[in-house]
Amino acid sequence: LEEMAPKPIPDTGNILKQGYLEKRSREHSFFGTEWQKRWCILTRRTFYYYANEKSKQPKGTFPTENCSARLAFHLRKDSRKRCCFELICPGKRTYEFTAPSPAEAEDWVDQIQFLLKDLSSLTIPCDEEDEELYNDVDSSDSVNTTSYNMTMNQDETNIEMEEEDIYEVLPGKQPNKQ
């Protein structure tokens, strides 16, 4: 049996997406821009990138809070230009990546945008059509509140009347009648 090496990620249970991407190096070499293959992991709060899948220490990390993600076809001139996206971190830097396919690039961007929307919102998103189906208990509509209170009072009365029958009768045993 081959053992899987644990990744040193504080919030391992919150991995949203992981996979190989090419990351653009900050330094330009004599031959131009360098793209390095990196194992990347997106969690709820942090983006990690490693030399490879088995690396124990990340080559870099950055918080995803306040960042934005978008497809960036201008990053490459070759056949992989539709696979590019960037993460813009205000006040820090822009991280540039190439995914294995255009669909993967879109998926990375979608996951990051969904995550950022989720982090910036304290409410669960829902469609406007669905909103009318639900009435809050704390609604300012007095008719709904009154009918809710009447229902609650009726339920409480029913509970009080049924309290004598709260014990289960086991098979083969008869309850003692007084």
Side-chain angles (χ1 to χ4, degrees):
L1 270 167
E2 187 177 326
E3 290 185 13
M4 297 283 292
K7 303 229 181 294
I9 300 172
D11 48 358
T12 305
N14 292 322
I15 293 176
L16 300 176
K17 186 155 181 68
Q18 60 185 344
Y20 278 105
L21 297 171
E22 288 182 19
K23 182 185 156 300
R24 191 177 200 173
S25 174
R26 282 173 68 164
E27 297 96 31
H28 297 286
S29 73
F30 177 73
F31 301 105
T33 304
E34 294 276 331
W35 291 90
Q36 293 119 4
K37 191 173 180 181
R38 297 287 181 237
W39 178 254
C40 299
I41 297 176
L42 175 66
T43 67
R44 289 185 55 75
R45 302 223 178 262
T46 309
F47 191 100
Y48 298 86
Y49 55 95
Y50 296 81
N52 60 52
E53 196 173 348
K54 296 181 192 232
S55 296
K56 295 193 185 300
Q57 291 300 316
K59 287 230 166 255
T61 65
F62 57 91
T64 53
E65 234 175 3
N66 303 322
C67 290
S68 62
R70 66 179 181 197
L71 294 172
F73 301 150
H74 67 278
L75 295 178
R76 293 179 83 137
K77 305 274 187 248
D78 62 9
S79 62
R80 304 210 36 222
K81 68 181 183 179
R82 299 193 63 77
C83 302
C84 297
F85 68 96
E86 57 190 4
L87 291 170
I88 302 128
C89 302
K92 295 180 182 143
R93 68 176 268 210
T94 298
Y95 294 87
E96 301 164 332
F97 296 97
T98 302
S101 70
E104 271 294 300
E106 283 183 43
D107 193 41
W108 277 94
V109 170
D110 290 347
Q111 285 288 331
I112 293 163
Q113 287 176 340
F114 178 78
L115 171 67
L116 297 172
K117 193 180 297 180
D118 188 39
L119 286 175
S120 67
S121 172
L122 297 175
T123 60
I124 299 170
C126 66
D127 294 334
E128 286 182 24
E129 297 169 6
D130 296 341
E131 285 185 38
E132 295 176 23
L133 300 175
Y134 302 104
N135 287 327
D136 288 346
V137 173
D138 296 330
S139 172
S140 61
D141 183 358
S142 61
V143 174
N144 286 344
T145 306
T146 303
S147 67
Y148 174 78
N149 288 338
M150 284 176 48
T151 306
M152 284 300 291
N153 289 339
Q154 288 171 353
D155 289 346
E156 288 171 5
T157 305
N158 290 343
I159 290 170
E160 287 173 12
M161 289 172 35
E162 296 175 31
E163 276 188 352
E164 294 175 14
D165 299 323
I166 62 172
Y167 297 102
E168 180 180 357
V169 177
L170 297 174
K173 302 224 177 189
Q174 290 296 325
N176 294 336
K177 301 251 179 188
Q178 293 178 348

